[in-house]
Amino acid sequence: MLLSANSLSLSYNGHNVVEGFNLSIAPKTIVGLIGPNGSGKTTILRALAGLMEPRAGTALVQGHHAARLNKQIRARKIGWVPQQESAAWPLTVSEVVRLGRAPHRGWLMPFTKDDLDIVECALARADLLELKHRPVNKLSGGEFQRVLIARVLAQEPEALLLDEPTASLDVHHQVQVLDLVRGLVNEKGLSVVMAIHDLNLAARYCDQLVLLHNGRQVSVGTPEEVLTAENLRAVFHVEAKLYRDPWGAWAVSMRQNNPLRIPTSPDVGVC
Ligand code: ADP
């Protein structure tokens, strides 16, 4: 296994936010982390990316503690796309995507033709060729998200860790990015772990889902096994049905448990 978590517990300032998390991520697999805000998805991804030390248990990359691996070696194995990254640098799209080659060539080495071809392909795959000379601080949030995806493609890692990769994308680019990820998984045997809010996209693109609630694993398995009415009621407080859409993919239909509840405040009354 390239990536695994064993009895992983994680905390911030002594406050536990993830408890006893276990996962083995096989090659050619997309694992989706789902759960309400604050359930620990980003924190687990950060630990698998080696960006934080576990309080207990292990986050391993090919059997090595992720947080203790040499950074350059880690970057050849794992590509990490955070949900938010500042676009404050005065660099163009193309220059940012070229940074993805750093783990393979060192900072001071000139780019080879291979490097430049890989960068060009990453730009094309992320639909960024027309924007490649644009400064990244002049892009929309969704365009910048695609730049981060292109940078990780140029990095050519063996596993991808994606934190809400579609959160700021329009529908066209959501499908494009997830089709691209699925294509890489199928062609190159990548392992992918992604936090994803949209349960329809999670059902359609993920091989395995992990449902989290308050930092604990509530359910692990195929979309059909995890996205049950009982699980979604217990964790998200919605009534939900999993069904096959007209193209044969899994989809989820949802409505609130109590749609007529009127918000009230003890001080103000009905709001
Ligand atoms: P999710 O990605 O599922 O929304 P997170 O992993 O971001 O959840 O957060 C899990 C918990 O950890 C939340 O209660 C959140 O408030 C807390 N948390 C996240 N980041 C920090 C931080 N840097 N410092 C302290 N607490 C944090």
Side-chain angles (χ1 to χ4, degrees):
M1 291 293 164
L2 181 67
L3 284 173
S4 63
N6 309 292
S7 306
L8 183 63
S9 296
L10 302 163
S11 63
Y12 293 105
N13 311 317
H15 175 64
N16 293 344
V17 297
V18 172
E19 290 281 356
F21 181 80
N22 290 297
L23 191 65
S24 287
I25 301 130
K28 270 201 170 187
T29 305
I30 303 180
V31 177
L33 303 181
I34 57 172
N37 296 131
S39 56
K41 303 179 294 294
T42 299
T43 305
I44 290 167
L45 288 174
R46 294 188 70 238
L48 290 170
L51 302 177
M52 64 191 287
E53 281 275 0
R55 184 184 58 75
T58 52
L60 301 178
V61 177
Q62 274 177 346
H64 301 279
H65 289 278
R68 296 181 216 156
L69 258 184
N70 167 290
K71 277 190 185 161
Q72 192 170 11
I73 294 174
R74 192 168 68 203
R76 284 192 215 138
K77 306 236 168 258
I78 294 180
W80 159 240
V81 180
Q83 196 178 138
Q84 285 170 338
E85 184 172 310
S86 148
W89 330 293
L91 294 177
T92 65
V93 168
S94 177
E95 285 165 341
V96 170
V97 177
R98 284 182 190 197
L99 295 176
R101 296 305 298 155
H104 298 277
R105 45 176 282 281
W107 290 101
L108 299 174
M109 300 292 287
F111 287 98
T112 63
K113 175 160 185 333
D114 262 8
D115 286 323
L116 296 175
D117 287 352
I118 289 165
V119 167
E120 193 69 8
C121 284
L123 288 165
R125 285 183 160 215
D127 200 13
L128 287 168
L129 288 177
E130 284 179 15
L131 297 178
K132 70 178 176 181
H133 300 303
R134 252 296 186 100
V136 286
N137 52 9
K138 300 267 162 28
L139 298 178
S140 74
E143 288 164 344
F144 185 62
Q145 183 68 17
R146 279 166 28 229
V147 174
L148 298 183
I149 303 260
R151 187 182 64 185
V152 86
L153 296 181
Q155 193 179 323
E156 296 191 307
E158 294 170 42
L160 290 178
L161 300 172
L162 309 172
D163 195 1
E164 293 289 345
T166 55
S168 48
L169 301 183
D170 60 56
V171 177
H172 166 76
H173 285 111
Q174 284 182 1
V175 172
Q176 188 196 39
V177 162
L178 292 178
D179 278 348
L180 173 57
V181 171
R182 171 48 76 192
L184 289 170
V185 167
N186 292 353
E187 281 164 38
K188 304 195 173 175
L190 257 69
S191 309
V192 175
V193 187
M194 64 181 173
I196 185 156
H197 266 301
D198 186 316
L199 297 182
N200 278 302
L201 293 175
R204 180 166 157 198
Y205 284 97
C206 296
D207 303 297
Q208 293 272 309
L209 293 178
V210 181
L211 176 60
L212 294 157
H213 191 34
N214 296 332
R216 292 184 179 274
Q217 268 163 296
V218 174
S219 177
V220 182
T222 62
E224 195 179 7
E225 287 164 342
V226 172
L227 296 173
T228 62
E230 294 72 26
N231 282 341
L232 297 181
R233 191 180 301 126
V235 172
F236 290 105
H237 312 295
V238 292
E239 291 304 316
K241 279 199 167 78
L242 187 70
Y243 64 98
R244 291 281 187 188
D245 73 11
W247 291 286
W250 285 120
V252 189
S253 174
M254 277 168 287
R255 65 190 180 95
Q256 267 199 66
N257 269 344
N258 181 0
L260 294 179
R261 194 179 68 84
I262 296 169
T264 54
S265 145
D267 296 333
V268 181
V270 171
C271 296

